[in-house]
Amino acid sequence: MYPKVLAMVTLERAVREIESVRVQGAKQIAVYGLQFLRQVALEQGFDERFDKIADRLRKVRPTAVVLHNCIEMIKQERKLSTIDRLMAYLSEESSEKIAKHSDRVLRSGMTVMTHCHSGEALQFLKHGHGRHGKKLSVIATETKPLEQGIKTAKELTQARIPVTLILDNAVGFFMKDVDAVVVGADALRREGVVNKIGTSLLAFSAKHYHKPFYVVANALKVDRRKDFSIEERPAMEVYRQITTAKRKSLHGIKIRNPAFDVTPWEYVTAVITDEGVMKPSQMKERLK
Ligand code: RUB
């Protein structure tokens, strides 16, 4: 089915890296996918085998829209320079532009709550803390079941941002102490912001305590797909976190493990994009 055994092995490895969440976050998944597709294009050009490989990659984590949007553009233009342009945009240009808006959102001394591990949200916070000299502190949720929040906490600590790691179910307890919530996005849709499961609970809690809720997302996260689904991950990810003794008594019990949820626009204060800080009304207009 795939052209070369070598390419197939490598493809399967790329799929595993994304599927296992070792490569995670919508932007990183896209950058990783683009690097792989660049190699495929160099080897065999942009023929229909390229399309098959691209389609296989984009289905691995179907909710995140960036890789999908990139593949659509590549299929139209069929040029290496398109891949290079997209990689440059994702790796540098978009984050530099997003960072410029940190003055509009971040103030010195702020405590920010975040969820999961969003490369874009973290770059924004690190930029504000470092280059703009705003001393921030962050409350990071652990993010069950895969605990990407620990990755977030480590990364922030390395950037010398004081961080407190909390359980997901402590969000309501700590919300009164934060000045803002800043999260990333897998997709910006008409229905709202798609991001790691539990994000909507931060948003509901933020609204209750009158705290601003910001989403950091580059323009390739705009999602106009009709065919959209929330990825449901293996029950085992939930199951293996339950102690062995308790697991034995769980036979016959259904476990659900959706990876993302949708936060309706009415809970969002603004989306910080490389094209500007957008109000939900502007985003909705754009998504029409
Ligand atoms: C990651 C997640 C991130 C968004 C945005 O989920 O929900 O908040 O993908 O990330 P998972 P980024 O760990 O399941 O991939 O800002 O890096 O694009």
Side-chain angles (χ1 to χ4, degrees), residues 21 24-27 29 61 116-121 148 184-186 195-196 221 260:
V21 188
Q24 62 80 233
K27 179 165 115 170
I29 291 168
R61 307 271 332 259
C116 193
H117 178 275
S118 154
E120 299 211 279
Q148 292 94 325
D186 283 86
N195 195 47
K196 176 55 56 190
K221 289 185 173 174
F260 304 102

Side-chain angles (χ1 to χ4, degrees), residues 187-221:
L188 304 170
R189 292 183 57 82
R190 279 172 75 171
E191 310 90 290
V193 175
V194 184
N195 195 47
K196 176 55 56 190
I197 190 80
T199 302
S200 62
L201 295 177
L202 272 74
F204 301 157
S205 184
K207 184 119 185 156
H208 178 79
Y209 286 102
H210 307 290
K211 309 289 176 157
F213 182 92
Y214 296 108
V215 177
V216 183
N218 70 69
L220 283 175
K221 289 185 173 174

Side-chain angles (χ1 to χ4, degrees), residues 18-24 61 116-117 141-151 168 196-197 231 233-234 236-238 240-241 257 259:
I18 298 172
E19 206 167 44
S20 65
V21 188
R22 276 194 292 276
V23 172
Q24 62 80 233
R61 307 271 332 259
C116 193
H117 178 275
T141 55
E142 64 167 348
T143 317
K144 286 277 188 200
L146 298 182
E147 299 173 343
Q148 292 94 325
I150 296 173
K151 185 173 164 190
D168 295 333
K196 176 55 56 190
I197 190 80
E231 175 191 355
R233 295 191 55 88
M236 187 46 80
E237 288 176 356
V238 178
R240 72 174 164 223
Q241 297 210 352
N257 186 19

Side-chain angles (χ1 to χ4, degrees), residues 33-34 37 50-51 53-59 65-78 82 86:
L34 287 173
L37 289 174
F50 175 92
D51 291 1
I53 291 172
D55 289 342
R56 170 98 169 91
L57 274 185
R58 79 164 126 189
K59 282 183 192 145
V65 75
V66 187
L67 184 56
H68 165 89
N69 282 341
C70 290
I71 288 172
E72 288 300 304
M73 287 167 86
I74 296 166
K75 279 189 178 180
Q76 271 174 22
E77 298 178 17
R78 299 197 171 272
T82 308
L86 289 165

